[in-house]
Amino acid sequence: MDQQDEQQATISRITTGMPVIDSAGTEVGTVDLVQRGDPNAVTVQTPTADPGSSLDELIEATAVEEPDVPADLAARLLHSGYLKVSTDLTRTGAVYVPADRIGSVADGRVLLAVGVADLPPEE
């Protein structure tokens, strides 16, 4: 099993509401969203000729896309998988945990391989 498969196996054992603990033992918060990796994820959006021509398109245009981070990071997160964690430790109230930063899942908790300062905050 390669590293990508191991990361997906780990992320598949995580559910929303699980507490998240960083590498220093600090409780970061709780899992809000679990997104498995998609090696074929394409994040480049091509503009349509007539944007907002229907109510569905208008709703889609105003919806916050996940992950709410800069495009290059979003592409990496969608490709590898990630967790969105609600936290009081950042001003935006959430951080993203790339799949490769998840250390393990044990006793109903997600243990990170890094400190909370190394996690990208929600924009």
Side-chain angles (χ1 to χ4, degrees):
M1 187 150 61
D2 69 7
Q3 189 176 5
Q4 179 80 16
D5 290 340
E6 283 179 33
Q7 288 171 7
Q8 296 313 306
T10 299
I11 212 166
S12 68
R13 299 190 358 247
I14 298 170
T15 58
T16 57
M18 287 178 111
V20 177
I21 314 299
D22 80 357
S23 59
T26 303
E27 185 156 339
V28 177
T30 55
V31 176
D32 229 13
L33 175 71
V34 179
Q35 181 63 55
R36 292 184 63 137
D38 177 1
N40 302 317
V42 176
T43 56
V44 177
Q45 300 291 327
T46 54
T48 56
D50 184 17
S53 62
S54 74
L55 184 59
D56 287 342
E57 287 176 7
L58 183 63
I59 291 168
E60 198 174 287
T62 58
V64 175
E65 294 287 320
E66 291 289 356
D68 189 8
V69 293
D72 59 331
L73 177 58
R76 284 203 314 269
L77 291 176
L78 290 169
H79 184 77
S80 68
Y82 65 91
L83 305 176
K84 181 178 182 179
V85 178
S86 296
T87 181
D88 295 331
L89 304 178
T90 66
R91 65 173 180 76
T92 56
V95 292
Y96 291 94
V97 179
D100 62 358
R101 304 287 167 88
I102 299 166
S104 63
V105 179
D107 303 322
R109 304 182 319 164
V110 179
L111 306 172
L112 303 181
V114 297
V116 68
D118 295 326
L119 301 174
E122 182 175 43
E123 293 259 293

